[in-house]
Every structure is written in C-alpha cells, then in structure tokens.
Amino acid sequence: TQTVSQSDAHVTVFEGDSVELRCNYSYGGSIYLSWYIQHHGRGLQFLLKYYSGNPVVQGVNGFEAEFSKSDSSFHLRKASVHWSDSAVYFCAASTTNTGKLTFGDGTVLTVKP
Amino acid sequence: DAGVTQTPRHEVAEKGQTIILKCEPVSGHNDLFWYRQTKIQGLELLSYFRSKSLMEDGGAFKDRFKAEMLNSSFSTLKIQPTEPKDSAVYLCASSKQGTEVFFGKGTRLTVV
C-alpha cells in the first residue's frame, strides 16, 4: 500500500514569490505521481503527472514538479505565484495508470498581494 | 466538451434517509471513480468502474454505500441509510485509461 504525505498544511507567500510544496511518498514499486489543485468550492483539477523519464515535469500555469527516487519525493514548484494560485494542492500516487489515487492531506497555499 | 457533471450540488438529508447522488462522466471516458472528501479523513476512494464494470468497492464503505453504473454515461451513488458521519463532499471523477483524470464539482451532503 502506498502512502503520500504532505508535510506542510499551510504555506503563505506573497505575489511574485517562488514557492515549493512538498510531497513524499512511500512505496517500493513503480508509481505514478501527480498533483491536483482545488479552488474553494470546486472539484480537483489536474496539474501534472510523472511516471518515468525526465524527473522534472512541466504542468499547467507555470507549475513544475521534480521526482526524486532517493528522497521519495515529488515536490511542486512555481517560480512566481499569482493571487489566483491560492488554493489547496493535493499530491497523489497510484500504482496503476488510472484515476485510482491515494491522496496526501493537501497543502493550503495562500498568496498575499 | 462538458466536464464531469454531478447533481445535486447540495443535499440535506435526515438521519436514516436514503439519498442518491448522480454523476455524468466526460463523454468517451471509460474509467469512473467516486471519492469522499472530509476535513478529517481527506480524500478516500469509494468505488472504481472500468467500462461499467465495478473494479473496486472501498472496503470500509461497502456496508451502506452502493455505486452503480447502468450505462457508460451515468453513475449513481446510493447511501442507505444515511448517518451524520456521512456528511462530506462526494466527488465523481472520470478518465480515459491512462490519461488525465477529470473531477466534478462535487455534491456536499449534510446529514442531520
């Protein structure tokens, strides 16, 4: 059984700052890792996914994530955040290439003007 | 192209009632998922269908929860009987195997 942990429950930054949201996973085999964003009162929206190849994955709206097998991590980054990036971010893992996902607890990102 | 549609968006039920939540997946998607979202438990998988066949029915939820997919464009989640601890947001999601997963906006259920 895989587990996903997001160590930061809340992250607050200012508009224009860079941000990194942390995600660590626990699983011994092949794993698909993804990030989703959830704005208040909305469903989840896909940001990006990694399975193999280049460990740095580009996603929508300037987000990227880097996979590290040695650290069992898949951290999400953005170079310059906008107020509209304020939302809850979920890291997710799957052992199959499906939507059967194990989610982390989420990180609330607040971007201040 | 329409995304995943869930109805109703909000539901209030009395303890012991039966409620049915509805979901229309994205046209052409063959995988459909029901998740439950709460502040305490986070996101939990309830059911997973592939091409209308039930692939997984979350163990902890088998008792009073029943998901069905009578055709490829419609799924229901029945909770019978409801209990206050069922209060949560229920999310439906769909995907074409191996591709991006699309989530609906969810149904917020309050059981009083």
Side-chain angles (χ1 to χ4, degrees):
Chain A
T1 305
Q2 70 269 25
T3 62
V4 179
S5 63
Q6 294 180 244
S7 54
D8 299 314
H10 297 270
V11 172
T12 300
V13 294
F14 288 94
E15 201 164 21
D17 283 352
S18 62
V19 71
E20 179 177 85
L21 305 182
R22 292 191 289 239
C23 173
N24 290 89
Y25 66 92
S26 172
Y27 185 67
S30 298
I31 194 165
Y32 296 81
L33 293 160
S34 51
W35 277 95
Y36 289 81
I37 180 174
Q38 185 177 35
H39 287 103
H40 181 67
R42 307 290 298 273
L44 279 71
Q45 286 178 276
F46 173 83
L47 281 178
L48 46 78
K49 181 167 78 173
Y50 171 83
Y51 174 63
S52 65
N54 188 339
V56 179
V57 183
Q58 302 296 324
V60 296
N61 294 335
F63 286 97
E64 68 174 31
E66 183 165 6
F67 170 75
S68 171
K69 188 170 183 178
S70 59
D71 294 339
S72 297
S73 69
F74 189 57
H75 301 330
L76 181 71
R77 300 189 295 245
K78 187 167 182 178
S80 177
V81 293
H82 186 262
W83 65 267
S84 61
D85 293 324
S86 294
V88 184
Y89 291 78
F90 291 95
C91 182
S94 176
T95 56
T96 59
N97 193 13
T98 70
K100 185 186 164 189
L101 303 167
T102 298
F103 287 91
D105 290 336
T107 297
V108 178
L109 175 65
T110 301
V111 181
K112 292 189 171 181
Chain B
D1 189 19
V4 176
T5 303
Q6 290 188 248
T7 54
R9 291 295 314 279
H10 301 273
E11 177 82 57
V12 178
E14 290 189 357
K15 179 182 170 183
Q17 265 188 296
T18 295
I19 62 103
I20 296 176
L21 309 182
K22 304 178 184 74
C23 173
E24 296 174 35
V26 175
S27 177
H29 284 187
N30 57 345
D31 282 353
L32 185 137
F33 307 86
W34 283 98
Y35 285 89
R36 184 172 80 168
Q37 185 175 26
T38 61
K39 279 192 165 54
I40 295 173
Q41 299 293 336
L43 284 145
E44 303 168 283
L45 180 70
L46 298 175
S47 295
Y48 163 31
F49 292 88
R50 166 156 290 173
S51 301
K52 300 187 295 178
S53 297
L54 183 63
M55 305 298 288
E56 184 156 331
D57 203 356
F61 300 96
K62 281 182 183 172
D63 191 24
R64 297 176 295 105
F65 291 71
K66 184 177 174 68
E68 291 186 311
M69 196 162 185
L70 299 178
N71 62 60
S72 60
S73 58
F74 187 69
S75 176
T76 59
L77 175 66
K78 181 192 286 187
I79 308 176
Q80 179 184 36
T82 52
E83 296 181 7
K85 65 181 180 180
D86 299 332
S87 296
V89 176
Y90 291 82
L91 294 168
C92 179
S94 72
S95 69
K96 197 174 271 192
Q97 185 182 352
T99 64
E100 177 183 342
V101 181
F102 289 80
F103 283 80
K105 293 180 180 177
T107 295
R108 181 175 294 279
L109 172 66
T110 303
V111 182
V112 297

